[in-house]
C-alpha cells in the first residue's frame, strides 16, 4: 500500500471522530495570545483575541479561561454587566472562589446587594488571598449598608479593621462606622455595638454617640457618665475631640466653642496634613492656657473631594462649630469650599487652588499663592534694587507656567519689561539651548573657539535679572551653566520652591547675588518667630517648616477671632476675616483682600557668606 493511500485512509479516520474541539498547544492560538497580552498588562489588545477564541471554539475545554479573564478586565473597567455575562458563561465545574468573588462584587455594585451578599458569605477566607479578602469584607460592608442591616455592616467593618494596617483604609473604615452610629443605627443597635466592640475605636464611637443622644433627649447626667467613660479610656479614635466638646457643653451649660479642622491625615498627602496639624495644635494649646477653651473637631479629608464635602456638611450641622480650617489639597478644597458656601460657614483653606476664594463670600484662603510671591518679588526688584528688565527660565509644568505668568503680569503692571522667557522639560540637565535663546542667540550655531589671550569686555546681559522658579536640585544644574554659556552679571530671583534644606549645600555657591521669597524663615530675628520656633521645638523636638508655621497661623487667626468677635457667631467670624489687617503671623503680617485671599508681607531671603539671611 503506497503512501498516498495510507494518507487518504488516515484523513477518513480523523473525519469520523466525534466533533469535540479543543485548542492546540500552539502558542499562536488567539487564546494563548490573549492570555499573554493580559499577563503583560496590554488589556485593550487582549480583549479582541479572547473574544475571537470564544467565537472560534465556544465548546473547547479551555475556553472558560477566556471568559474569566474578560470578566476581570470588564470589572476593572467598570463594565459590570459585561463582567457578569462573562462569569455566567463559565461552566459550573470551572467556577472557583475567584469567580464567585467577582460575581458577588459585581452584583453589589450593580444594585443587587441581596444575591451578592449571599454569594460572598458562602466564600471561605482561606480560599482567598489577602487582597481578595479585603475586597470581600468591603463588599459585604457595602451590601449590608444598602440592605440597611447595620449590625452586620459594623461586624464586617470590625473584621476589616482587625486585618488592616493601611492608615488611609483604617480612616475610611472608621468614618463609615461613624456615619452608621451617628445617622442610621437605632438606639438598641448603638447600645449593642458599644457592648460588642468595647475597648476598640468602634466601641468608643458608639459610646460617644449614645452620650450625644442622651443629651438631646434631655438626660445630661447619663450623657456625662457616658462621655466621661470615653474620655477616661486609653483607646484612641478619630472623634475623641468631639467627646471633649460634649463634656465641656455638659459642664458649662452649652457655651462651648469649636472649630472644624479638615486635613489629609491619610493617603498620599498625609505627611503634609500631619505637619499642618502640629502647628495648629500648638496654637490651640497656647490659646487655651490664656482664654476660654476651644475644641478642634479634626476630620480626615484623605484628599478626597466627596469625603471633604461630607465632613463640611457634618461640621456645619453642629451649632458649636464657628468655622472650619482646611483642606490642604486642590480638589478636596474646591469641594469643601462649595459645601461651606452652601452651608454658610466660614472656611479658611490653605490650598493654592486657583480662584478658590471666588467660590463665595464665606471662603477665605491663607496660602503661599503664585500671585503673592510674584507681587512681593517684583516689588522688591523694582523699588529696592531698581531692576527694570527681566528674563524668565521656568520648568514646563503646571506650577512653573502659573508662577511665570504671574511674575510676567506683575512686571508689566508695574512698568517693567520682560525681555525673554524660556521653558524647559523638568528632566532637562543641559540648558545650553534655553540660555542661548534667552540671550537672543541661535542655539544651533557652533560655539566659537575661546581665546584666553583675547582682550575686550564680555558681552553685556540682555536683562537685569533672571527669574527661576524651580527647586535646588535644578538650580544646582542651571546656575553654573549661566556664566559658562555667556550669561553673567545678572541677579537671580527665585520663588518659595527654593526654600528647602538642600539649597545651600547644593546650589549656595552659585547664588551669592540671588534673592528669593518664602512664607517662613525659622531664623528670623523677629521675636514672635523665635518664640514660635522655641515652643515648637520644646513640644515636638524638631524645628518647624513652612507647613507647621502655616498651620500655627491659620489656627491663631481663627482663635483670635473667637475672642474678638462679640457675640462669636459664624457671621461675625466671616466679617472678622474680611476686616483683618496685619495679624502678626509667623508666616508674615496677614490680612485679607475683599476677594478673600490673604494679603501678607512675605519674607525676602538672600545668601551672604554661605548663610541664609532675611533681607526685609
Amino acid at each position: 500500500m503506497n503512501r498516498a493511500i495510507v494518507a487518504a485512509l488516515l484523513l477518513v479516520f480523523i473525519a469520523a471522530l466525534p466533533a469535540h474541539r479543543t485548542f492546540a498547544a500552539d502558542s499562536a492560538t488567539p487564546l494563548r495570545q490573549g492570555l499573554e497580552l493580559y499577563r503583560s498588562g496590554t488589556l485593550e489588545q487582549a480583549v479582541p483575541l479572547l473574544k475571537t477564541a470564544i467565537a472560534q471554539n465556544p465548546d473547547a475545554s479551555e475556553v472558560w479561561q477566556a471568559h474569566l479573564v474578560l470578566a476581570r478586565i470588564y470589572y476593572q473597567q467598570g463594565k459590570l454587566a459585561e463582567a457578569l455575562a462573562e462569569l455566567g458563561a463559565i461552566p459550573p465545574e470551572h467556577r472557583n472562589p475567584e469567580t464567585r468573588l467577582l460575581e458577588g462584587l459585581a452584583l453589589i455594585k450593580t444594585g443587587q446587594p441581596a444575591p451578592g451578599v449571599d454569594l460572598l458569605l458562602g466564600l471561605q477566607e482561606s480560599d482567598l488571598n489577602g487582597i481578595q479578602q479585603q475586597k470581600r469584607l468591603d463588599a459585604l460592608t457595602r451590601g449590608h449598608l444598602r440592605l440597611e442591616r447595620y449590625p452586620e455592616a459594623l461586624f464586617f467593618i470590625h473584621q476589616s479593621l482587625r486585618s488592616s494596617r493601611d492608615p488611609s483604609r483604617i480612616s475610611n473604615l472608621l468614618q463609615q462606622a461613624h456615619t452608621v452610629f451617628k445617622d442610621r443605627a437605632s438606639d438598641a443597635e448603638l447600645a449593642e455595638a458599644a457592648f460588642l466592640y468595647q475597648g476598640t475605636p468602634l466601641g468608643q464611637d458608639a459610646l460617644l454617640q449614645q452620650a450625644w443622644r442622651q443629651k438631646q433627649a434631655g438626660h445630661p447626667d447619663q450623657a456625662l457618665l457616658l462621655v466621661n467613660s470615653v474620655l477616661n479610656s486609653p483607646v484612641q479614635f478619630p472623634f475623641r475631640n468631639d467627646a471633649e466638646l460634649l463634656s465641656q457643653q455638659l459642664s458649662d451649660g452649652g457655651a462651648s466653642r469649636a472649630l472644624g479642622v479638615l486635613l489629609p491625615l491619610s493617603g498620599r498627602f498625609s505627611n503634609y496634613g500631619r505637619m499642618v496639624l502640629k502647628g495648629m495644635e500648638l496654637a490651640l494649646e497656647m490659646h487655651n492656657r490664656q482664654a476660654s477653651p476651644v475644641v478642634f473637631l479634626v476630620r480626615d479629608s484623605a484628599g478626597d473631594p466627596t469625603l471633604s464635602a461630607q465632613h463640611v456638611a457634618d461640621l456645619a450641622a453642629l451649632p458649636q462649630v464657628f468655622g472650619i480650617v482646611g483642606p490642604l489639597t486642590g480638589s478636596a478644597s474646591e469641594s469643601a469650599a462649595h459645601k461651606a458656601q452652601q452651608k454658610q460657614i466660614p472656611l479658611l483653606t490653605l490650598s493654592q487652588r486657583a480662584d478658590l476664594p471666588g467660590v463665595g463670600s464665606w471662603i477665605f484662603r491663607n496660602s503661599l499663592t503664585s500671585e503673592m510671591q510674584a507681587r512681593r518679588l517684583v516689588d522688591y526688584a523694582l523699588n529696592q534694587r531698581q531692576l527694570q528688565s527681566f528674563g524668565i527660565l521656568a520648568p514646563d509644568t503646571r506650577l512653573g507656567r502659573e508662577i511665570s505668568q504671574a511674575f510676567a503680569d506683575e512686571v508689566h503692571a508695574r512698568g517693567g519689561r520682560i525681555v525673554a522667557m524660556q521653558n524647559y522639560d523638568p528632566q532637562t540637565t543641559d540648558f545650553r539651548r534655553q540660555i542661548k535663546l534667552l540671550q537672543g542667540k541661535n542655539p544651533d550655531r557652533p560655539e566659537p573657539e575661546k581665546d584666553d589671550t583675547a582682550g575686550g569686555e564680555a558681552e553685556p546681559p540682555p536683562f537685569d535679572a533672571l527669574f527661576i522658579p524651580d527647586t535646588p536640585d535644578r538650580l544646582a544644574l542651571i546656575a553654573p551653566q549661566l556664566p559658562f554659556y555667556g550669561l553673567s552679571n545678572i541677579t537671580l530671583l527665585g520663588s518659595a520652591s527654593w526654600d528647602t534644606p538642600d539649597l545651600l549645600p547644593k546650589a549656595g555657591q552659585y547664588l551669592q547675588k540671588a534673592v528669593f521669597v518664602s512664607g517662613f524663615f525659622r531664623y528670623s530675628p523677629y521675636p514672635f518667630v523665635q518664640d514660635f520656633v522655641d515652643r515648637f521645638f520644646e513640644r515636638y523636638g524638631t524645628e518647624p517648616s513652612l507647613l507647621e508655621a502655616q498651620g500655627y497661623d491659620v489656627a491663631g487667626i481663627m482663635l483670635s477671632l473667637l475672642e474678638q468677635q462679640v457675640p462669636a457667631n459664624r457671621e461675625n467670624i466671616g466679617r472678622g476675616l474680611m476686616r483683618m489687617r496685619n495679624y502678626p503671623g509667623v508666616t508674615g503680617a496677614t490680612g485679607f483682600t475683599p476677594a478673600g485671599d490673604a494679603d501678607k508681607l512675605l519674607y525676602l531671603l538672600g545668601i551672604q557668606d554661605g548663610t541664609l539671611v532675611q533681607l526685609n
Side-chain angles (χ1 to χ4, degrees):
M1 187 179 297
N2 62 35
R3 292 182 180 180
I5 296 174
V6 171
L9 290 174
L10 185 58
L11 289 174
V12 172
F13 175 75
I14 292 174
L17 290 175
H20 178 76
R21 288 170 289 179
T22 186
F23 287 104
D26 186 359
S27 62
T29 64
L31 176 64
R32 297 295 178 228
Q33 288 179 316
L35 292 178
E36 287 300 322
L37 286 170
Y38 169 73
R39 294 187 189 104
S40 68
T42 316
L43 306 187
E44 293 299 328
Q45 295 181 28
V47 168
L49 287 167
L50 295 171
K51 286 183 174 180
T52 299
I54 293 170
Q56 290 179 349
N57 302 277
D59 300 321
S61 61
E62 294 179 327
V63 78
W64 68 273
Q65 297 179 48
H67 287 299
L68 175 58
V69 171
L70 284 172
R72 291 174 183 165
I73 293 173
Y74 288 142
Y75 181 84
Q76 185 177 337
Q77 295 174 338
K79 300 176 180 178
L80 302 178
E82 290 91 334
L84 286 169
E86 295 296 338
L87 291 167
I90 297 176
E93 64 269 19
H94 291 297
R95 289 178 178 264
N96 56 30
E98 183 194 357
T99 62
R100 296 198 294 276
L101 174 66
L102 275 176
E103 187 174 356
L105 298 178
L107 286 169
I108 290 173
K109 282 192 173 183
T110 54
Q112 304 173 72
V117 164
D118 290 342
L119 199 57
L120 294 179
L121 287 174
L123 289 173
Q124 300 296 319
E125 286 193 359
S126 57
D127 294 330
L128 305 172
N129 62 35
I131 294 176
Q132 291 172 335
Q133 290 174 17
Q134 286 187 3
K135 289 182 177 180
R136 173 180 174 270
L137 291 173
D138 288 345
L140 284 169
T141 299
R142 288 195 303 273
H144 281 113
L145 288 174
R146 291 189 179 184
L147 294 168
E148 299 184 2
R149 299 174 185 168
Y150 302 124
E152 289 87 347
L154 290 168
F155 169 79
F156 287 110
I157 290 174
H158 176 63
Q159 293 294 104
S160 296
L161 286 168
R162 292 177 60 188
S163 61
S164 181
R165 297 292 179 270
D166 176 19
S168 179
R169 176 174 163 78
I170 290 171
S171 179
N172 289 333
L173 290 167
L174 292 175
Q175 179 59 44
Q176 278 185 305
H178 182 69
T179 301
V180 172
F181 291 142
K182 182 173 174 289
D183 302 323
R184 303 183 184 181
S186 66
D187 289 347
E189 290 168 340
L190 203 55
E192 180 184 29
F195 173 76
L196 288 175
Y197 306 119
Q198 56 186 307
T200 72
L202 291 187
Q204 291 292 92
D205 200 359
L207 274 177
L208 174 59
Q209 297 310 315
Q210 280 187 299
W212 278 109
R213 293 189 187 185
Q214 288 292 335
K215 177 182 180 294
Q216 293 164 357
H219 306 302
D221 293 340
Q222 291 92 323
L224 191 57
L225 285 172
L226 288 167
V227 77
N228 283 340
S229 177
V230 173
L231 292 174
N232 291 332
S233 169
V235 177
Q236 297 296 315
F237 72 115
F239 307 98
R240 186 178 180 85
N241 287 354
D242 296 57
E244 293 177 1
L245 175 65
L246 178 56
S247 177
Q248 287 185 13
Q249 289 181 356
L250 293 167
S251 302
D252 61 19
S256 297
R257 301 171 303 169
L259 292 170
V261 175
L262 188 54
L263 294 170
L265 303 178
S266 63
R268 58 184 293 209
F269 301 110
S270 60
N271 287 339
Y272 304 133
R274 295 184 186 281
M275 291 167 74
V276 172
L277 185 58
K278 283 183 177 180
M280 295 184 65
E281 288 174 337
L282 181 60
L284 180 66
E285 179 182 292
M286 294 173 61
H287 172 274
N288 286 351
R289 288 176 183 172
Q290 305 167 2
S292 301
V294 176
V295 174
F296 284 165
L297 301 185
V298 182
R299 299 293 186 264
D300 178 13
S301 70
D304 180 77
T306 303
L307 187 59
S308 297
Q310 178 186 330
H311 283 317
V312 170
D314 291 344
L315 290 167
L318 298 173
Q320 302 82 12
V321 176
F322 292 97
I324 300 172
V325 177
L328 187 59
T329 57
S331 57
S333 294
E334 186 172 4
S335 176
H338 283 285
K339 183 60 68 175
Q341 182 66 24
Q342 177 190 342
K343 297 296 182 180
Q344 296 188 347
I345 184 169
L347 179 81
L348 179 56
T349 182
L350 298 98
S351 171
Q352 295 185 17
R353 187 79 160 208
D355 300 325
L356 201 55
V359 169
S361 60
W362 292 91
I363 312 305
F364 300 84
R365 168 167 58 188
N366 186 16
S367 182
L368 198 61
T369 63
S370 295
E371 291 76 13
M372 189 185 300
Q373 295 179 60
R375 187 163 56 248
R376 184 71 186 99
L377 198 57
V378 172
D379 179 74
Y380 170 81
L382 291 175
N383 295 332
Q384 293 181 249
R385 294 285 297 273
Q386 285 74 51
L387 305 174
Q388 294 296 322
S389 57
F390 303 86
I392 298 175
L393 180 60
D396 192 12
T397 62
R398 181 193 62 79
L399 184 58
R401 292 187 297 271
E402 177 185 292
I403 196 167
S404 295
Q405 190 60 54
F407 183 86
D409 291 345
E410 193 68 25
V411 168
H412 290 140
R414 290 171 175 260
R417 292 183 299 115
I418 298 295
V419 175
M421 179 185 296
Q422 287 295 317
N423 295 108
Y424 53 84
D425 186 287
Q427 305 305 316
T428 297
T429 57
D430 183 355
F431 295 88
R432 176 186 178 279
R433 184 173 191 83
Q434 288 81 9
I435 295 171
K436 289 295 183 183
L437 288 170
L438 285 171
Q439 298 174 82
K441 297 179 178 180
N442 182 0
D444 298 320
R445 179 178 298 172
E447 290 287 330
E449 293 291 335
K450 293 185 178 181
D451 184 359
D452 294 337
T453 63
E457 296 182 357
E459 184 178 344
F463 39 74
D464 300 328
L466 178 63
F467 179 50
I468 311 176
D470 210 336
T471 62
D473 283 340
R474 199 62 48 190
L475 283 173
L477 296 173
I478 295 173
Q481 293 186 45
L482 294 172
F484 184 81
Y485 291 121
L487 196 51
S488 305
N489 300 318
I490 55 171
T491 299
L492 298 184
L493 303 176
S495 65
S497 59
W498 284 27
D499 192 11
T500 76
D502 294 336
L503 180 66
L504 292 179
K506 288 191 174 180
Q509 61 179 313
Y510 309 112
L511 305 175
Q512 292 303 311
K513 296 175 62 177
V515 179
F516 65 99
V517 290
S518 181
F520 176 63
F521 185 48
R522 61 184 175 274
Y523 304 117
S524 170
Y526 296 151
F528 57 91
V529 174
Q530 294 175 6
D531 181 65
F532 163 65
V533 172
D534 291 343
R535 288 177 183 273
F536 190 93
F537 188 85
E538 182 180 348
R539 174 163 181 179
Y540 297 110
T542 60
E543 291 186 337
S545 70
L546 173 62
L547 286 172
E548 288 98 348
Q550 285 181 318
Y552 182 80
D553 274 359
V554 293
I557 287 170
M558 296 296 277
L559 291 167
S560 71
L561 290 175
L562 279 177
E563 296 304 319
Q564 296 169 11
Q565 303 303 310
V566 180
N569 56 44
R570 294 175 182 179
E571 291 79 8
N572 283 341
I573 297 299
R575 292 190 191 101
L577 285 168
M578 186 65 72
R579 296 169 181 166
M580 178 169 284
R581 296 293 181 272
N582 296 319
Y583 172 82
V586 297
T587 59
T590 303
F592 291 91
T593 68
D597 244 328
D599 182 16
K600 62 172 60 187
L601 190 64
L602 298 180
Y603 293 87
L604 285 166
L605 304 179
I607 299 176
Q608 294 180 4
D609 299 323
T611 303
L612 277 181
V613 295
Q614 182 176 325
L615 302 178
N616 57 328

